[in-house]
Amino acid sequence: MEKLRAMMDFCIRHQTVLGYSIVSLLTAASEQIFSSVVFKCPCNSGNMLYGSVFLIVPAFILFLLGYMANAKMWRLLTGSCHAEEHCSCSPWGTCTRYCYVLVPVTARILVAPLTWIAVALLRASFYECAASGSSLIKNLMCKDKGEECHKVLVRIPCDEKLLEKEKEKLSIEFLSLQAQSQLIGWFLIAIIMTVALISTCVSRCYSPVSYLQLKFWKIYSKKEQELFETKAKEHATRLAEINTKCFFEATDPAPFQTPSNEDWQKISFLYTFNLQEQYYSMIHKYVNTNRGNSVRFGKGDQDLPVLGFVDEANVSEAGF
Amino acid sequence: MDGFQTILKFFMNQKTAIGYSFMALLTMGGERVFSLVAFRCPCSNENFRYGLVFLFSPAFVLLVIGYFLNRKTWKLFTGCCVNPRKIFPRGNTCHFFYVFGQITLNALVAPVMWLSVALLNGTFYECAMSGLKNPSYLQAVCHSKSAKCFEELHKVACDKSSMPFAESDELKRTLQAQSQILGWCVIVTTALLSLLTTCCASCQSKVSHLQLMFWRVYMEKEKEQLEQIFQLYATKLSERNLKCFFENKEPEAIPLPTFQAWEDASQLYSFSSSKQHYSTIHRIVEEGQKKINEERETMLDFVDKREIP
């Protein structure tokens, strides 16, 4: 029993990595299913469109789903149309702020779509279909060989032996479409991993907080999120009890302390970091600055990518 | 039941070995999957490029993942641009490269495993080398074969050459044999190098063997305790904050480490033979926050390492 718990602890500690791996595996598995069950290259002039749609559209859908599931985005967007009336910021300033906040979010969301594209390229069926209908490839491979070559080219995805048979006749010498696809897939994977490593290193480098404090911060964020849900449920239950009781019994409600609209507004701002004060979240900041009334509440100037986890809903305590 | 417990205990004690074996199995599995599903030698002049990409890209990806998973990388890089003195401390400028070198060596384990497994399998190497157009290599491989060998070597991997079966089969086997010999060489070299470096590091250790064992246990326990105390304080702090928010109360003070204390505690550990400190936190707690001269780091790199590869 204890060993099982140790294993569970291990899984929980490495949640981020496990999470990303599961996302990648799921994407790869569904790509496999798509490829073998659903995808049937038409082998005519519509190849390019068909292949590209299968390659790009699911990636785009995964991208949109990622945005919809991301808590930080909703935190940023909720009420932002009204906020501009109170805020004296220039539209340019708000725009840059939005971009600055959304860039790390986008980077994290891109995992699933890029996995799809990479796996699809490694399996080669989609690219083969698309490339056999593309005019660029046609010009590269069928230079001065006439219509015959074009016809053969679009039929390649449907008939594996065709290329061998026609190769001598039309003396086409080129890297097979499948091999091209796989090379592109590997380059894409290598580039993505390098960019991911470098950008994480750079964002970590610019972190004003040390490693252990960052670790503690992640744990705090997660705990605060969990406790917020619990406390919100409790509070809501009590308030609902009072209201419904008073409704049915036609009595006046007992005074019950609940945060005002303004209080909720204040804690829903996006977190900004201030080196002088050590606040781990907006709630922490709010509580320690006299319920947001002190001047120090507004003072926060840094939006740091490394602190991107602060307003996310599912924060892992381990990982990088 | 008792026997089962003993077996389980034995396995739990061999965590590192099991971790490495698991990684090796995973690599082997991945290599099999690749070979069957994705790898299709083009059998043209592009063999060399194709084979090399399939051989080295997964190794590169594993290397990057190794960097990502190593806690020491992030401990080293967090905050380094804000305060470059952190990683290039006065009088010890090579420290960064030393630590980075250790991290790289740890991260190289998985790629080397992949390379050895892939070479032992032979498919990737066979495809790549059959497309190599180097005259001296072609001469060495084709020296007692027909003249067609020089032009059609790249078709041998797909069994599509016009050479007699015996010849193309022999060429295939030669290439596979070369691959497997190279694979074994990689394994042997890596094993020897790791043995040598471990021996050298042990020789240079200023700490006795038993104390080193105790040190390892201490580091694990400290890690667990740190995790537990983080959870405890995080819960306390967030409870207090949420209670004050919902009930409109004034917050009571909870003592937490200062910013500077966190910074000091996050430094990479440097061994000092004059004091008996088992970690940075131990040192800070016993000596306060003042800086002390550190000697060069010895083999105590495990002090900041993860338990499992």
Side-chain angles (χ1 to χ4, degrees):
Chain A
M1 197 60 213
E2 208 200 277
K3 317 297 178 192
L4 198 65
R5 196 171 306 144
M7 223 171 67
M8 290 302 297
D9 277 332
F10 177 78
C11 283
I12 291 173
R13 263 211 314 270
H14 298 276
Q15 267 184 51
T16 328
V17 179
L18 278 178
Y20 282 131
S21 319
I22 289 180
V23 163
S24 305
L25 280 173
L26 274 176
T27 320
S30 48
E31 194 277 333
Q32 178 84 1
I33 295 173
F34 255 82
S35 224
S36 36
V37 175
V38 179
F39 183 77
K40 286 193 176 43
C41 196
C43 289
N44 54 30
S45 52
N47 277 6
M48 168 83 169
L49 187 62
Y50 189 84
S52 322
V53 162
F54 262 82
L55 200 52
I56 307 217
V57 169
F60 187 66
I61 294 176
L62 286 170
F63 186 65
L64 290 179
L65 283 176
Y67 266 128
M68 288 201 278
N70 188 293
K72 198 157 184 185
M73 214 195 64
W74 299 122
R75 200 167 181 147
L76 184 66
L77 288 181
T78 308
S80 58
C81 291
H82 289 292
E84 264 145 40
E85 292 157 15
H86 305 289
C87 182
S88 52
C89 327
S90 67
W92 179 246
T94 354
C95 190
T96 35
R97 179 136 192 264
Y98 272 46
C99 289
Y100 210 69
V101 167
L102 283 181
V103 163
V105 166
T106 312
R108 231 169 298 189
I109 285 171
L110 276 175
V111 169
L114 288 175
T115 311
W116 169 274
I117 293 184
V119 172
L121 285 174
L122 281 181
R123 288 229 49 227
S125 4
F126 302 156
Y127 177 88
E128 198 184 7
C129 190
S132 62
S134 115
S135 42
L136 182 67
I137 304 278
K138 235 189 280 193
N139 293 338
L140 270 175
M141 293 183 189
C142 282
K143 267 201 276 269
D144 314 314
K145 298 222 174 56
E147 267 312 299
E148 186 68 37
C149 179
H150 291 189
K151 285 213 195 90
V152 167
L153 198 57
V154 292
R155 287 198 44 81
I156 285 176
C158 297
D159 185 359
E160 271 188 40
K161 306 280 183 277
L162 189 63
L163 185 59
E164 291 309 310
K165 284 188 266 183
E166 304 289 337
K167 214 169 179 174
E168 278 85 52
K169 194 156 66 149
L170 299 167
S171 57
I172 307 173
E173 182 62 55
F174 65 97
L175 182 64
S176 78
L177 292 171
Q178 284 184 349
Q180 273 180 25
S181 168
Q182 288 175 328
L183 286 181
I184 295 177
W186 276 121
F187 279 134
L188 191 67
I189 294 178
I191 291 172
I192 291 169
M193 303 246 33
T194 320
V195 165
L197 187 64
I198 293 179
S199 52
T200 318
C201 278
V202 166
S203 79
R204 276 307 182 97
C205 265
Y206 280 106
S207 153
V209 280
S210 55
Y211 176 77
L212 283 180
Q213 193 170 16
L214 215 50
K215 197 168 162 188
F216 173 72
W217 202 325
K218 285 187 177 149
I219 294 179
Y220 172 82
S221 285
K222 186 157 180 267
K223 280 276 175 253
E224 193 187 75
Q225 190 66 34
E226 288 170 20
L227 277 170
F228 180 80
E229 302 234 353
T230 320
K231 274 232 174 279
K233 278 200 186 115
E234 258 174 46
H235 194 88
T237 315
R238 268 189 288 158
L239 187 56
E241 251 175 37
I242 291 176
N243 288 340
T244 45
K245 189 151 160 269
C246 294
F247 176 68
F248 280 106
E249 294 172 8
T251 48
D252 282 324
F256 181 66
Q257 174 60 38
T258 188
S260 68
N261 282 359
E262 229 186 64
D263 296 337
W264 284 109
Q265 280 273 5
K266 287 199 179 132
I267 65 161
S268 295
F269 287 139
L270 225 49
Y271 178 79
T272 48
F273 177 71
N274 185 340
L275 194 58
Q276 264 63 46
E277 315 286 352
Q278 256 183 289
Y279 297 130
Y280 293 128
S281 71
M282 283 314 280
I283 296 185
H284 192 183
K285 207 188 247 193
Y286 171 87
V287 154
N288 275 25
T289 51
N290 192 16
R291 302 187 69 81
N293 292 327
S294 126
V295 155
R296 290 179 308 163
F297 183 75
K299 268 207 182 125
D301 25 74
Q302 299 181 44
D303 256 326
L304 297 157
V306 71
L307 300 176
F309 64 87
V310 174
D311 289 318
E312 296 264 359
N314 306 322
V315 160
S316 92
E317 71 226 51
F320 333 134
Chain B
M1 201 59 213
D2 212 19
F4 183 65
Q5 288 286 353
T6 327
I7 294 177
L8 216 53
K9 202 160 170 205
F10 170 74
F11 279 124
M12 289 311 286
N13 284 344
Q14 307 296 330
K15 270 196 291 215
T16 329
I18 291 185
Y20 278 124
S21 325
F22 183 71
M23 218 165 64
L25 282 173
L26 208 63
T27 322
M28 270 192 269
E31 195 272 334
R32 275 279 79 193
V33 166
F34 269 134
S35 286
L36 290 171
V37 173
F39 184 77
R40 260 165 267 163
C41 199
C43 289
S44 66
N45 291 325
E46 302 295 332
N47 276 10
F48 188 61
R49 200 179 305 168
Y50 187 83
L52 281 189
V53 165
F54 258 85
L55 202 53
F56 287 110
S57 309
F60 181 73
V61 168
L62 286 171
L63 182 69
V64 171
I65 293 179
Y67 275 125
F68 261 116
L69 291 182
N70 194 330
R71 248 178 237 176
K72 221 166 166 185
T73 321
W74 307 118
K75 213 164 184 178
L76 185 66
F77 278 108
T78 306
C80 68
C81 287
V82 172
N83 181 13
R85 270 279 155 231
K86 232 190 245 191
I87 52 173
F88 292 111
R90 240 171 244 111
N92 202 2
T93 31
C94 295
H95 182 67
F96 171 76
F97 298 108
Y98 183 71
V99 173
F100 192 69
Q102 278 173 357
I103 297 172
T104 311
L105 282 177
N106 279 340
L108 275 177
V109 170
V112 167
M113 266 192 207
W114 161 268
L115 276 176
S116 33
V117 167
L119 286 172
L120 280 180
N121 178 292
T123 336
F124 304 138
Y125 179 92
E126 191 191 331
C127 185
M129 294 316 249
S130 63
L132 182 63
K133 295 294 181 204
N134 185 318
S136 37
Y137 181 76
L138 279 175
Q139 196 68 32
V141 170
C142 290
H143 77 276
S144 58
K145 314 280 185 300
S146 57
K148 273 194 269 186
C149 173
F150 290 91
E151 283 103 41
E152 298 203 345
L153 186 62
H154 54 83
K155 293 198 195 149
V156 158
C158 314
D159 294 324
K160 290 210 176 79
S161 74
S162 52
M163 288 187 272
F165 175 73
E167 242 188 70
S168 66
D169 191 53
E170 198 188 325
L171 282 168
K172 252 177 104 160
R173 283 173 188 275
T174 316
L175 288 172
Q176 279 186 349
Q178 284 178 4
S179 169
Q180 287 174 333
I181 293 173
L182 197 59
W184 280 120
C185 286
V186 165
I187 296 178
V188 164
T189 319
T190 317
L192 276 176
L193 275 176
S194 44
L195 184 65
L196 279 174
T197 39
T198 320
C199 281
C200 278
S202 281
C203 278
Q204 287 179 353
S205 161
K206 294 195 174 100
V207 177
S208 62
H209 179 70
L210 284 179
Q211 192 172 18
L212 220 47
M213 279 176 63
F214 170 72
W215 212 312
R216 284 204 175 107
V217 175
Y218 171 83
M219 279 325 294
E220 249 194 69
K221 289 296 168 203
E222 194 187 79
K223 233 171 271 204
E224 283 173 28
Q225 286 285 328
L226 202 60
E227 190 85 26
Q228 273 176 15
I229 230 180
F230 278 174
Q231 298 274 354
L232 188 67
Y233 271 87
T235 314
K236 259 206 285 195
L237 188 59
S238 47
E239 250 176 35
R240 180 203 80 168
N241 287 341
L242 285 166
K243 194 147 152 258
C244 293
F245 174 69
F246 277 108
E247 296 172 14
N248 198 10
K249 290 210 181 87
E250 277 307 305
E252 72 251 12
I254 292 186
L256 281 178
T258 61
F259 188 74
Q260 192 54 43
W262 283 112
E263 291 280 334
D264 292 335
S266 296
Q267 282 178 12
L268 280 173
Y269 183 71
S270 279
F271 174 65
S272 157
S273 63
S274 44
K275 317 270 169 60
Q276 212 177 308
H277 294 134
Y278 292 122
S279 72
T280 324
I281 293 185
H282 189 183
R283 194 187 76 205
I284 288 176
V285 157
E286 293 210 344
E287 301 250 349
Q289 312 286 0
K290 57 185 195 287
K291 281 202 178 353
I292 37 178
N293 278 332
E294 293 121 11
E295 293 182 4
R296 289 196 177 278
E297 218 176 52
T298 59
M299 74 157 290
L300 299 162
D301 55 80
F302 69 83
V303 170
D304 287 312
K305 203 167 44 160
R306 299 152 44 83
E307 319 81 59
I308 283 185

